[in-house]
Amino acid sequence: MAEFNALFDSAYELWAFWIAVVALATFLLGGVFLTTRPQAEVIGHPKGLFLLFMAEMWERFSYYGMRALLIFYLVQHWLFTDSEASVIYGAYTALVYITPVVGGFLADRFLGQRKAVLFGAVLLTFGHFFMAFEGDGGQADATINIFWLALALIIVGSGFLKANISVMVGQLYPRTDIRRDPAYTIFYMGINVGAATASIICGFLGQTVGWAYGFGLAGIGMLLGLIFFVIGKPLLLGKGEPKDPAKIAGGREFGIYGIGLAMVGLCWLAIQYQQLVGWVLGFFGLGLVAYVLYIAIGRLPREERDRIFAAIFLIFVSIVFWALFEQAGSSLNLFTDRHVDTQGVAASMFQSINAIYIILLAPLFAGLWQLLAKRGAEPSTPMKFGLAVIQVGLGFLVLVWGAQSVGLNVPTPVIFIFLIYLLHTTGELCLSPVGLSAMNRLSPGHMASLIMGTWFFASATGNFAAGLIASATGAEGVGEEAGKQVVLDVYSTVGWFAVGVGVVVMVISPFVKKLMHLDTLEDESIDDDLEGQAEGPGEPQGAGIHPTTRPTN
């Protein structure tokens, strides 16, 4: 133990690591204790909720553990330039947000959520373990093909798992059960615990001990999640099974899995040729928006048409937000590693800050909105979007000011990293949870899935755009001070751009609010409420990542 503790560069790093280990172990033991109780429900909820909590906690542990290291792995091990690595990272995260649309569709129509989650978990487990195959490094090393395969497996596995596991939480409760919202609060604690602890534990091991240890531990986490999900099947009470078993009879189920493996092959190509991802997003994204507008203009009555216009406006604003917010895993990660006085803490460990802020601030924001609503002073959804974009821009401007105030030749004080993440998180809490809720409220029942699919294409587009912005910060070979200035110039530009966009959104928000026609909005009785619409801000993109509708049980 003493030899291991000697690996830490500072007491801050040591304490952060062991606190994360203790927190993860505490939630693990607590989950095991709750799921093994003899009674059908514990602390007022079905035990299946805590099974899903455990599975999701370990899945997010594996995903965020790998994500914290990915940009460093691309630059330091595979020797890509900053610009190349940033575009690869952006393409990867974009694909992660596209595949859930397909995974959710296949689960809805054929597999059911449980089988889809299981298949996704198997793909993720293999993907994370393949990440541990390092080879000798450099792009000429044939082992890099295993790395591409690992990313493809993780992309498709996330599509099948993330698209469906949050839906299963809702299926454990009747539609009118008042425990649904608290259940999603518990479930999303699993996401944030997994995200926060993974960035610290896997980040330290990967950057300090060796890449294989960081990625390997992420794989072990995913394997634990898979084991919990398989053993705990009885706790799901038969939920998430295929709606029509005949559709997957006679070997057709394996045909669906074959489609999933074909998707792995496509993603293997796409992640290597990132231009393909850009073209796909551009072509299908614009086509999707054009189709939505065609239906809205040609087939819908005036009020419903106006609501679709409002939804499309919000969707385009969200692209700006995610393009800047998602600098966290790429350019901001590299900036922290190279130009910040981290007090001896590995840069990847700072990826945990967002998740920790969400745990601390999400209840405060929920209470704030409720308090303002009671007083008739709650900002409208467009106003919240404007505030979100302004805050993400201010985050960059604060970092630029902090770095320039001490001089380019001096490491930036770490407090400014905490400040940028604080402003980005408060911005996220203004946009992410209300965005999905707005998509649901503004969509006619027969267009709910179409609008939600457009929202996720926008999220993917924002992630890809984030990679392009991050690529502009690459400045190899010009010296540390000049390279730092290049990054700060980009951050200053996008920061002021975001503030300007946010101000415009706030100015026109009353007009957009009128388009929403909230005074005439009525519930429909055709069972079109989206699963997970009350899930809350678990992570970027917030609630249910998958546009299914609630069952009528």
Side-chain angles (χ1 to χ4, degrees):
M1 182 62 72
E3 292 181 359
F4 180 76
N5 284 341
L7 295 173
F8 295 97
D9 290 332
S10 70
Y12 297 115
E13 191 174 59
L14 184 149
W15 276 102
F17 179 88
W18 286 115
I19 289 172
V21 169
V22 170
L24 187 64
T26 300
F27 278 94
L28 170 62
L29 295 175
V32 171
F33 174 80
L34 292 174
T35 53
T36 54
R37 295 303 86 201
Q39 55 268 41
E41 295 190 354
V42 289
I43 61 174
H45 290 275
K47 289 193 292 185
L49 171 65
F50 301 99
L51 171 69
L52 297 174
F53 172 99
M54 296 288 286
E56 179 69 349
M57 181 181 77
W58 285 112
E59 188 273 331
R60 291 291 87 182
F61 179 89
S62 66
Y63 176 80
Y64 281 100
M66 186 277 281
R67 179 179 178 269
L69 292 168
L70 181 56
I71 194 71
F72 298 122
Y73 196 48
L74 287 166
V75 171
Q76 298 171 8
H77 183 71
W78 296 118
L79 306 181
F80 288 99
T81 66
D82 287 4
S83 297
E84 292 169 337
S86 296
V87 174
I88 294 169
Y89 179 90
Y92 164 74
T93 53
L95 289 169
V96 165
Y97 285 109
I98 293 176
T99 52
V101 177
V102 181
F105 174 81
L106 293 176
D108 265 354
R109 296 293 185 270
F110 303 102
L111 292 176
Q113 282 72 38
R114 186 189 63 81
K115 289 177 182 289
V117 169
L118 182 61
F119 179 60
V122 171
L123 294 181
L124 282 164
T125 300
F126 278 107
H128 284 294
F129 277 124
F130 284 156
M131 287 290 292
F133 286 83
E134 295 182 38
D136 296 323
Q139 297 170 49
D141 186 353
T143 311
I144 197 172
N145 290 298
I146 299 178
F147 168 69
W148 299 128
L149 176 61
L151 289 183
L153 287 165
I154 293 170
I155 289 165
V156 179
S158 295
F160 276 89
L161 190 145
K162 277 299 294 173
N164 297 292
I165 193 167
S166 61
V167 174
M168 296 183 70
V169 174
Q171 291 176 343
L172 292 173
Y173 300 87
R175 286 185 70 187
T176 57
D177 196 322
I178 61 173
R179 298 177 298 170
R180 291 178 68 97
D181 285 2
Y184 276 115
T185 300
I186 294 171
F187 178 70
Y188 273 93
M189 182 64 72
I191 282 183
N192 290 303
V193 169
T197 56
S199 300
I200 294 173
I201 299 172
C202 296
F204 169 78
L205 292 176
Q207 283 199 281
T208 305
V209 182
W211 303 114
Y213 290 92
F215 292 127
L217 182 60
I220 292 172
M222 189 61 247
L223 180 60
L224 284 173
L226 175 60
I227 291 171
F228 275 113
F229 191 76
V230 171
I231 294 177
K233 177 185 174 182
L235 301 181
L236 298 176
L237 307 175
K239 303 298 183 182
E241 297 301 325
K243 296 176 182 177
D244 186 359
K247 289 185 177 181
I248 57 173
R252 279 175 284 189
E253 178 178 348
F254 294 98
I256 303 299
Y257 299 143
I259 292 174
L261 295 178
M263 289 171 60
V264 172
L266 288 174
C267 290
W268 183 80
L269 284 173
I271 200 65
Q272 296 179 68
Y273 303 98
Q274 301 85 39
Q275 298 90 339
L276 286 175
V277 180
W279 282 108
V280 167
L281 288 171
F283 180 78
F284 285 102
L286 290 175
L288 200 55
V289 171
Y291 180 64
V292 169
L293 292 176
Y294 166 75
I295 294 178
I297 295 172
R299 302 183 186 179
L300 297 181
R302 183 181 65 86
E303 289 192 356
E304 289 189 351
R305 180 192 64 211
D306 288 349
R307 291 187 186 116
I308 294 298
F309 290 160
I312 294 297
F313 173 81
L314 296 176
I315 284 170
F316 276 106
V317 174
S318 75
I319 294 175
V320 176
F321 179 84
W322 296 122
L324 302 188
F325 180 91
E326 289 296 340
Q327 295 304 306
S330 53
S331 68
L332 189 54
N333 219 357
L334 291 172
F335 182 87
T336 304
D337 185 57
R338 297 168 179 171
H339 306 301
V340 174
D341 179 10
T342 62
Q343 303 291 312
V345 178
S348 57
M349 296 172 75
F350 287 88
Q351 293 291 293
S352 65
I353 297 174
N354 173 246
I356 294 171
Y357 277 152
I358 286 180
I359 293 173
L360 297 175
L361 296 177
L364 297 180
F365 269 73
L368 175 64
W369 299 142
Q370 288 184 357
L371 179 63
L372 291 175
K374 290 179 180 178
R375 298 181 178 182
E378 182 182 9
S380 66
T381 296
M383 182 67 74
K384 290 178 182 177
F385 270 56
L387 289 170
V389 177
I390 287 176
Q391 287 172 89
V392 79
L394 286 176
F396 286 110
L397 296 179
V398 167
L399 177 61
V400 171
W401 175 78
Q404 292 178 338
S405 66
V406 297
L408 292 178
N409 60 338
V410 177
T412 302
V414 73
I415 184 63
F416 292 103
I417 295 300
F418 283 92
L419 287 175
I420 186 175
Y421 279 120
L422 175 62
L423 286 164
H424 284 193
T425 303
T426 54
E428 178 189 353
L429 291 169
C430 288
L431 182 142
S432 181
V434 300
L436 281 143
S437 174
M439 295 306 105
N440 182 42
R441 296 175 70 192
L442 297 175
S443 308
H446 61 281
M447 293 182 66
S449 293
L450 182 62
I451 295 298
M452 197 62 76
T454 308
W455 170 267
F456 287 116
F457 255 88
S459 300
T461 303
N463 278 267
F464 188 75
L468 299 180
I469 293 171
S471 70
T473 66
E476 294 86 355
V478 299
E480 183 174 351
E481 289 186 26
K484 185 177 182 180
Q485 185 63 60
V486 168
V487 179
L488 294 177
D489 287 344
V490 173
Y491 282 178
S492 179
T493 300
V494 298
W496 284 113
F497 173 77
V499 170
V501 170
V503 169
V504 171
V505 172
M506 291 178 67
V507 169
I508 65 175
S509 63
F511 171 73
V512 180
K513 183 181 178 181
K514 287 182 180 179
L515 289 178
M516 298 169 71
H517 296 290
L518 298 177
D519 54 330
T520 58
L521 199 61
E522 296 180 352
D523 288 330
E524 297 178 349
S525 57
I526 57 174
D527 306 319
D528 64 346
D529 288 345
L530 293 179
E531 286 280 9
Q533 66 188 48
E535 291 172 12
E539 57 179 330
Q541 298 14 299
I545 199 166
H546 154 50
T548 187
T549 56
R550 287 180 176 161
T552 56
N553 56 337

